Amino acid sequence: MILQNSLLELNKIEQDAIIELFEVDLSKIVGDKTIFRFHNGMNEMRQAIIWQGNIYEPYPIKAQGFEKSGQGTSNRPTLTVANISGLITGLSQDYDDLLGAVVTRHQVIVKFLDSGNFNEGNPAADPTQEVISNYVIERLTSLNSETASFELALPCESDGALIPARVIIANTCAWQYRSSECGYTGKAIADEFDKPTDDLSKDKCSRCLKGCKLRFGEHGILPFGGFPSAAKLS
């Protein structure tokens, strides 16, 4: 949505600086309201950016490829973020590479930012002046110890569907331990290395078939979230 005042500012030959703020909403894939807000910089007071009362933490993030075309399919923008302390690695492992997460880009002219961003306040602050673009994460294109890159798509083109519905991994369970998909609610069994423990704080699933069998029995019905047969060659 482009509001009139924002459009006038954007059309000026010499315009105020425009910043990009990003929201990554995991609510649909996590099951509760989980939103990360980032901006690749800080405000006048060397603190996190405040926009519409929300805090956008300083975090290395870069987006590119937001061109618009009236012909054919739309472009696929790329969102690249730092993998500080393995944050993205952990989220990707727990939530299927974040496929389906909603990414919102806010383009805001600095003069309209909340008063809390400036040492002397901001009488021109106006939380309605922004340009919003919504995308969904289509796929994880690269991941290493330093950065992660995601390909984005318009919601109308993804239609909320993931194809395949889940990433096919042979020997690793995709379910979160003790979740509804996992189904285990019993006592502590073993740690993440399948070593026995009776301490609930150390009780973690190895995400392997062995960990599943330790909890449901060697010959029990296993709710294993992987695809063991995918590793077999005919």
Side-chain angles (χ1 to χ4, degrees):
M1 176 175 67
I2 302 179
L3 298 177
Q4 185 176 8
N5 287 351
S6 288
L7 185 58
L8 291 174
E9 290 288 339
L10 289 170
N11 286 336
K12 287 182 179 180
I13 296 177
E14 293 183 3
Q15 57 187 252
D16 290 342
I18 299 174
I19 63 172
E20 293 183 327
L21 308 172
F22 293 93
E23 291 182 4
V24 182
D25 189 345
L26 308 184
S27 301
K28 290 184 178 180
I29 58 178
V30 173
D32 56 15
K33 191 172 183 179
T34 302
I35 301 176
F36 293 94
R37 295 183 173 93
F38 303 125
H39 171 61
N40 190 29
M42 293 180 284
N43 62 21
E44 183 178 277
M45 298 181 291
R46 308 294 293 173
Q47 297 175 351
I49 290 285
I50 305 171
W51 174 240
Q52 298 174 337
N54 295 314
I55 305 297
Y56 289 79
E57 297 294 343
Y59 196 87
I61 184 169
K62 180 178 69 174
Q64 55 190 8
F66 287 97
E67 297 85 0
K68 294 184 178 180
S69 173
Q71 299 180 344
T73 59
S74 69
N75 59 308
R76 291 290 190 270
T78 299
L79 185 71
T80 302
V81 297
N83 191 16
I84 298 175
S85 300
L87 171 64
I88 309 302
T89 298
L91 290 172
S92 296
Q93 290 177 345
D94 289 341
Y95 303 114
D96 287 341
D97 291 342
L98 303 183
L99 303 183
V102 178
V103 177
T104 301
R105 179 178 67 150
H106 300 259
Q107 291 176 285
V108 183
I109 298 172
V110 172
K111 66 179 290 184
F112 294 130
L113 287 174
D114 294 24
S115 296
N117 293 288
F118 305 93
N119 289 316
E120 299 180 0
N122 181 21
D126 188 343
T128 67
Q129 304 306 316
E130 63 177 354
V131 179
I132 299 176
S133 304
N134 291 308
Y135 294 84
V136 295
I137 291 179
E138 181 104 320
R139 66 188 181 101
L140 175 66
T141 57
S142 67
L143 175 64
N144 56 47
S145 61
E146 296 182 353
T147 63
S149 292
F150 299 91
E151 182 179 282
L152 309 181
L154 292 172
C156 62
E157 293 184 350
S158 66
D159 198 29
L162 302 179
I163 302 174
R166 289 198 289 120
V167 177
I168 296 176
I169 303 177
N171 300 312
T172 303
C173 179
W175 307 139
Q176 185 174 2
Y177 184 43
R178 292 182 179 270
S179 67
S180 58
E181 293 89 355
C182 166
Y184 184 74
T185 58
K187 63 180 182 179
I189 295 293
D191 63 15
E192 58 197 285
F193 303 106
D194 290 329
K195 294 182 179 179
T197 181
D198 56 5
D199 185 346
L200 275 175
S201 66
K202 297 180 180 179
D203 183 49
K204 298 180 181 179
C205 184
S206 63
R207 295 178 179 263
C208 297
L209 270 174
K210 181 179 179 181
C212 208
K213 290 180 178 180
L214 286 174
R215 291 160 176 83
F216 294 95
E218 181 69 26
H219 303 291
I221 298 176
L222 307 179
F224 187 65
F227 299 84
S229 62
K232 297 180 180 179
L233 298 177
S234 57

